[in-house]
Each structure stands twice: as C-alpha cells, then as structure tokens.
Amino acid sequence: MIVIMEAHASEEQVAGVVDRVESLGLRAHPSPGSERTIIGVIGDERPLEPELFEALAGVERVVPVLHPFKLASREFHPADRVITLPNGAQLGGPEVLVMAGPCAVESREQLQATAEAVAGVGVRVLRGGAFKPRTSPYSFQGLGEKGLLLLREVADELDLAVVTEVVTPEDVPLVAEHADVLQVGARNMANYSLLCAVGDADRPVVLKRGLGATVDELLQAAEYVLAHGNTDVAVCERGIRTFETSTRFTLDINAVPVLKHLTSLPVVVDPSHATGRADLVGPVACAGVAAGADGLLVEVHANPREARSDAAQALHPDQFAALMRQLARVAEAVGRRSA
Ligand code: PEP
Ligand code: MN
C-alpha cells in the first residue's frame, strides 16, 4: 500500500509514519513530491488494515497498490521521473533522448568515427557494448575493460554520456567506474542478483525487457532495482519473441503506452534489436516516439558492413542523420522535442 500524506505534512509526521511502518517489520520508502510526500510500504503487507496508518497525524489517505510492483507504480510516484546525466542530458524530460552508437566497441577508430558521427547530429549519449552477452559462445564477446576505457575517453572528448551493458554482479563496480548509465540486457532481465547489484550502484539503469517477459515481469524486475534504493531506472522495450520470423523480434508497441500508464519510470524503445534490420530501424523508431517513448537506443556503425556484431541492423551515419531529422518532426507532432 502507499500512504499519501496531507499537503504540507511536517517532517515529524512523515517520520511518525515511517516509524510505524518499520515497527510492523515493513520497509518505508518516502518520496517527497512538490506538493505532498507519498510513502511506499514495502514487504508482506497482507495482514495490514489501512486504518493502521489512516489514524496517524498528517496522513490524508491510504491506497492499496494492487500491482506486485509498488515503487515502480504510477500510484506511488504520479509524476514522470526524470533521469539527469552528468552532461546535462535528460531521460524522461520534454526532449526525447536518443542514445546511439555501435553494438560493440571494436576499436578506437571504429568507436571514434561512430561517436563523432552521432554527436554531430545532436546525440548526447553514446552506447556501445564492452561486455557482450552473445547467444553463441563463438561470437565476438567484446573488449571488456579495454572497451570501457575507450568508451570513456571517446565520450569525454565529445561531451557525451556513456551507456553500456553490465552482465555480472561482480562487474558492476568496474562498469560503474567508467560508464554513466548501466544497461541490463534482455537476457539478464530476470538475473536477480544482477538487479540487486545495479540497485546498489550509484548510476542510472536502463533495464531491457526479456525476450519472453511480460510487462508485469519487466516492472517487477525494475522494482528490484528501486527496492535497493536506486530510483534512476528506465525500462526498455526491445522486442519480444513471437511466431513472426520476418524480423529478429517483434516490437511490442502496445507496451509503450501500457508502461507509461503503469509506471512513471522513463520508457525507452530499441528499434535495432527489435527488428534486426537496418531498413526497418527508422520507421520503428518513429513509431516508438509516436507511441510516447522517452528515449531510443539505436545501433549505428561507421562502417556497418564491417561490424563484428549485429551488422544487419546497424545504421550507417548517413541513414542515422536522416532518421534524426525525421524524429524531430515526429517528436514535435506528439508534443515532444528531439535533438
Ligand atoms: C544491446 O543493446 O547491446 C543488447 C545486447 O541488447 P538486448 O539485451 O536487448 O539483446
Ligand atoms: Mn546489438
């Protein structure tokens, strides 16, 4: 359940509710809003009656949250959450944030050329995998720590923030040392020890939906990160597995407005992994923004034919520049801005 405090309830009144929650063996997550504080009650609250809290000073009302995710729910945090990155770029704000770069960091030359191309058309966040979770053990697995160092160096030269995937809990401190945003990949959405580890980290998280996960399961995975105290979480629709074989996955476009309804966490769309085809990335990216996405994650490669992973879906810088122009018009049509 969530406890909604009266507008302008005092700090002592908030502390009183927190004490009461904790005395019942539950955890309290106060979220101060511009008008009122909302306190999430986390734990096994089944035996609790709302009256337990309704009588406390400063409490306006108690609302049961029927979803299994509480902190991620829009009831708990009605206003859209905004994640601000060190270079000032925002995810969840009025501007649609485009995160772009290669699937994997391959070399300084490849990364630099790609980063310059995307930064040149307004991108503020560089993506690139250093640790790659590949379906086949024989595929390129990424440059590891060397890739992280390259990402940081190249991004700093261009005032870009870095988003990169972390695949094991043990690697979280290392990746957090070099990256601004930690990505949890689709294959790891239900890796609960990894979710706890990124929840303990002091970096925003982009959490991708599992290939066979429901929206509800995605939000429960986000709940793990939030319950560990990290409130900078974005969820990413990157396509799910269906019977359709003409594309790599099927982008669940419905998930975008469904997520926007259920949660105030920023919603990202990844048209690259969803389609697996460069010719489809543009239209699907536009659809994502039209449906209400706060951000996009797009694979771009300076020389797609030479990409060591996901070559078929990588946009050439010229294709990407054209897409950015198109996205600006779509964003404007739905009351947003883009670079
Ligand atoms: C990626 O973005 O690099 C990636 C591996 O994506 P996903 O986890 O969605 O497959
Ligand atoms: Mn990829």
Side-chain angles (χ1 to χ4, degrees):
M1 60 180 64
I2 57 177
V3 179
I4 300 175
M5 301 301 291
E6 286 167 358
H8 317 300
S10 69
E11 278 176 34
E12 289 74 44
Q13 289 172 332
V14 172
V17 175
V18 170
D19 285 348
R20 187 81 181 100
V21 170
E22 289 174 352
S23 74
L24 293 163
L26 302 165
R27 277 160 56 203
H29 284 256
S31 166
S34 56
E35 256 184 43
R36 62 185 77 239
T37 296
I38 294 179
I39 302 169
V41 179
I42 303 301
D44 186 4
E45 51 177 85
R46 273 170 302 178
L48 295 186
E49 295 297 330
E51 293 78 42
L52 271 172
F53 303 107
E54 268 163 358
L56 297 179
V59 172
E60 184 182 284
R61 64 199 150 96
V62 175
V63 182
V65 178
L66 300 175
H67 308 298
F69 46 90
K70 313 277 179 212
L71 304 174
S73 72
R74 218 182 247 284
E75 284 96 334
F76 173 60
H77 197 286
D80 283 337
R81 292 184 191 257
V82 181
I83 300 174
T84 302
L85 303 180
N87 66 351
Q90 288 189 323
L91 179 56
E95 186 165 307
V96 176
L97 188 71
V98 181
M99 299 171 270
C103 177
V105 179
E106 299 167 6
S107 67
R108 175 175 252 289
E109 296 67 36
Q110 169 250 14
L111 186 65
Q112 178 117 22
T114 309
E116 283 173 5
V118 298
V121 290
V123 165
R124 308 287 316 279
V125 185
L126 178 64
R127 67 145 287 147
F131 296 96
K132 296 301 300 176
R134 303 303 301 279
T135 301
S136 163
Y138 308 120
S139 302
F140 176 53
Q141 306 283 314
L143 297 182
E145 186 170 2
K146 185 170 168 238
L148 293 177
L149 293 167
L150 284 174
L151 277 166
R152 188 72 269 160
E153 269 176 48
V154 168
D156 282 347
E157 286 163 19
L158 297 161
D159 189 30
L160 298 171
V162 168
V163 56
T164 194
E165 181 165 353
V166 56
V167 295
T168 68
E170 301 76 54
D171 287 339
V172 169
L174 174 70
V175 177
E177 187 185 327
H178 301 292
D180 302 295
V181 181
L182 307 176
Q183 182 175 317
V184 174
R187 288 157 193 80
N188 268 320
M189 188 207 83
N191 178 341
Y192 299 110
S193 53
L194 180 61
L195 296 174
C196 295
V198 298
D200 290 329
D202 186 23
R203 289 284 178 278
V205 174
V206 170
L207 173 62
K208 292 188 140 195
R209 179 179 182 181
L211 323 186
T214 62
V215 163
D216 189 275
E217 287 160 344
L218 170 62
L219 290 173
Q220 290 201 65
E223 185 80 7
Y224 264 87
V225 184
L226 293 161
H228 273 254
N230 190 343
T231 54
D232 282 341
V233 184
V235 285
C236 177
E237 167 57 38
R238 46 79 71 211
I240 51 176
R241 183 146 284 158
T242 69
F243 53 77
E244 182 53 63
T245 53
S246 51
T247 49
R248 191 175 177 191
F249 295 95
T250 299
L251 187 91
D252 178 9
I253 194 77
N254 301 355
V256 178
V258 167
L259 284 164
K260 293 298 292 178
H261 174 74
L262 292 173
T263 184
S264 41
L265 301 175
V267 175
V268 174
V269 162
D270 175 344
S272 303
H273 292 90
T275 61
R277 285 171 46 178
D279 63 323
L280 302 181
V281 167
V284 172
C286 290
V289 171
D294 300 293
L296 295 173
L297 201 51
V298 182
E299 288 190 349
V300 182
H301 195 288
N303 193 348
R305 266 175 299 198
E306 285 177 12
R308 293 185 69 184
S309 61
D310 289 352
Q313 68 198 35
L315 294 188
H316 183 275
D318 293 343
Q319 292 172 301
F320 181 69
L323 171 59
M324 288 296 278
R325 288 193 293 275
Q326 216 176 6
L327 284 173
R329 304 216 303 276
V330 176
E332 199 195 329
V334 293
R336 301 292 282 269
R337 283 188 273 117
S338 83

